[in-house]
Amino acid sequence: MSLKFKCLAVALGFFSITGYAQSKKTIVPKTYVATKTATPITIDGDEADISWNKTEWTDLFEDIENGIKPKYATKVKMLWDETNFYILAKMEEPHVWANLKQRDTIIFYNNDFEVFIDPDSDTFNYYELEINALNTAWDLFLTKPYREDDIVVLNDWNIPGLKSAVKINGTLNNPNDTDQGWVLEMAIPWASYKTSYFDKNVPVDKFWRVNFSRVNWQHSIVDGQYERKKDAQGKFLPEYNWVWSPMGVINMHEPEKWGYVYFSSKEGKDNFTIPQDEKVKWELYNLYRAQKEYNQKHKVWAKSIADLTKEPIVVDNKILKPVVENHASGYNITVKSPFSNQTFIIRQDGKIISK
């Protein structure tokens, strides 16, 4: 195992452990309507492009877990055309620094900005992109979330045709002044998502599950250079995690909680409402997490919904009637949507199948 993959395994192990610390509060994903741009966008890190002036910022980012207002502001704009998904991120930061220059190193060891995309909303086969203020990228393809024991991560996968640029409002790696922050602009080709999404991969008038994360570290200045700050025992202090759509737990790798980005073909403003069937799926994921907790406590899977929840499961005033079926390798939980009559099945690995 190479040093890179040893480091990667340590990093993935961290997420796997924290993934079991589940939030007790209800998480409602954010939504955003990305409009189509007819004007070409130059990827130079400059937010003054006429196309960006026509679209709205997201809400300011929040703490990933507890709703505490972050120390520094972060916001995003999104656009699209037939070729690319365009993302503009603006980050307030009085000390802009970075030292990782090699692609596919563990970029979140620097302050960074991260993009997570699940095209078909099944939490499997999704994509992660991290970029620091040096415009160094780490892009990964994940066949399933880190919370599953048999993690499969393609670290050597790169986004073909990725364009990104950083503009520093201040000076990079200079501890002797105070900066305003940095702007990251990127164009991600739709073609890069063909790995797991073979049909028409330009999501015209469709939604994809998307989230953004900003990792921010406390720092020290050693010999005139920025470093991640350590405690009295020499351990790095924990990072801040600020996100667009809060997760309720320090783990980005629960894709069912990510936001909804709707790619509208209309000129001007458009509206998007989270489909009711998506809310049905949320309830299946709640049962999936309850099954994990039950299995950790009892060393077997629950055989009935009553073992997992004592309360009726209600979505938009409709009572759901899920059924648990145990089998040799795990379980299925099946529910029929009262809104579309479509049947959804969640497996023990967290994958949802629609029938």
Side-chain angles (χ1 to χ4, degrees), residues 122-138:
D122 69 349
T123 76
F124 278 46
N125 298 320
Y126 63 91
Y127 306 82
E128 179 178 353
L129 170 64
E130 304 184 7
I131 298 180
N132 67 6
L134 281 168
N135 199 30
T136 308
W138 181 23

Side-chain angles (χ1 to χ4, degrees), residues 15 20 25 31 39 66 87 90 95 112 130 153 158 179 182 204 222 254 264 267 274 290 332 335 350:
F15 283 111
Y20 290 115
K25 68 177 184 178
T31 63
T39 306
N66 54 28
I87 299 168
K90 187 173 184 179
H95 296 280
D112 76 355
E130 304 184 7
V153 181
N158 288 330
D179 308 311
W182 55 297
V204 182
V222 179
E254 296 186 354
S264 172
E267 294 184 7
I274 298 173
N332 293 333
V335 67

Side-chain angles (χ1 to χ4, degrees), residues 273-292:
T273 301
I274 298 173
Q276 290 169 310
D277 276 359
E278 288 296 300
K279 299 177 184 179
V280 173
K281 292 179 184 178
W282 296 353
E283 297 301 332
L284 282 180
Y285 282 114
N286 285 336
L287 293 172
Y288 159 80
R289 286 187 283 271
Q291 270 282 36
K292 272 192 174 295

Side-chain angles (χ1 to χ4, degrees), residues 72-211:
Y72 307 124
T74 310
K75 55 187 177 180
V76 169
K77 289 184 177 183
M78 290 169 263
L79 290 167
W80 69 280
D81 61 21
E82 295 296 335
T83 305
N84 295 307
F85 180 20
Y86 299 102
I87 299 168
L88 180 75
K90 187 173 184 179
M91 290 155 280
E92 182 183 76
E93 174 58 68
H95 296 280
V96 181
W97 68 275
N99 56 23
L100 297 175
K101 300 178 181 180
Q102 182 178 342
R103 186 168 185 146
D104 289 341
T105 50
I106 302 176
I107 297 300
F108 67 76
Y109 287 166
N110 282 174
N111 295 342
D112 76 355
F113 184 82
E114 304 177 359
V115 181
F116 297 83
I117 296 177
D118 179 11
D120 56 5
S121 190
D122 69 349
T123 76
F124 278 46
N125 298 320
Y126 63 91
Y127 306 82
E128 179 178 353
L129 170 64
E130 304 184 7
I131 298 180
N132 67 6
L134 281 168
N135 199 30
T136 308
W138 181 23
D139 34 16
L140 309 90
F141 173 71
L142 299 95
T143 61
K144 59 180 65 176
Y146 292 158
R147 61 190 169 203
E148 298 303 320
D149 294 333
D150 52 339
I151 298 168
V152 181
V153 181
L154 300 182
N155 189 51
D156 291 337
W157 176 82
N158 288 330
I159 298 174
L162 171 68
K163 295 180 181 179
S164 63
V166 170
K167 181 178 179 180
I168 309 296
N169 295 318
T171 53
L172 180 67
N173 292 330
N174 183 357
N176 297 316
D177 64 4
T178 300
D179 308 311
Q180 292 182 328
W182 55 297
V183 177
L184 170 60
E185 187 177 29
M186 65 189 84
I188 307 176
W190 298 121
S192 63
Y193 298 113
K194 287 184 177 178
T195 304
S196 68
Y197 200 80
F198 292 98
D199 293 332
K200 295 178 181 179
N201 62 322
V202 181
V204 182
D205 296 324
K206 296 179 180 178
F207 69 81
W208 279 10
R209 302 303 299 275
V210 176
N211 211 349

Side-chain angles (χ1 to χ4, degrees), residues 12 16 44 57 158 174 241 257 262 275-276 280 293 317 333:
L12 300 191
S16 179
D44 57 6
W57 290 106
N158 288 330
N174 183 357
N241 295 274
K257 296 179 182 176
Y262 180 77
Q276 290 169 310
V280 173
E293 293 180 0
N317 299 317
I333 300 178

Side-chain angles (χ1 to χ4, degrees), residues 291-318:
Q291 270 282 36
K292 272 192 174 295
E293 293 180 0
Y294 187 94
N295 185 268
Q296 286 178 335
K297 182 177 181 179
H298 302 284
K299 309 305 178 185
V300 296
W301 297 114
K303 295 181 179 180
S304 72
I305 297 299
D307 292 330
L308 303 176
T309 178
K310 303 301 182 184
E311 302 294 330
I313 302 173
V314 181
V315 172
D316 290 350
N317 299 317
K318 298 286 187 180

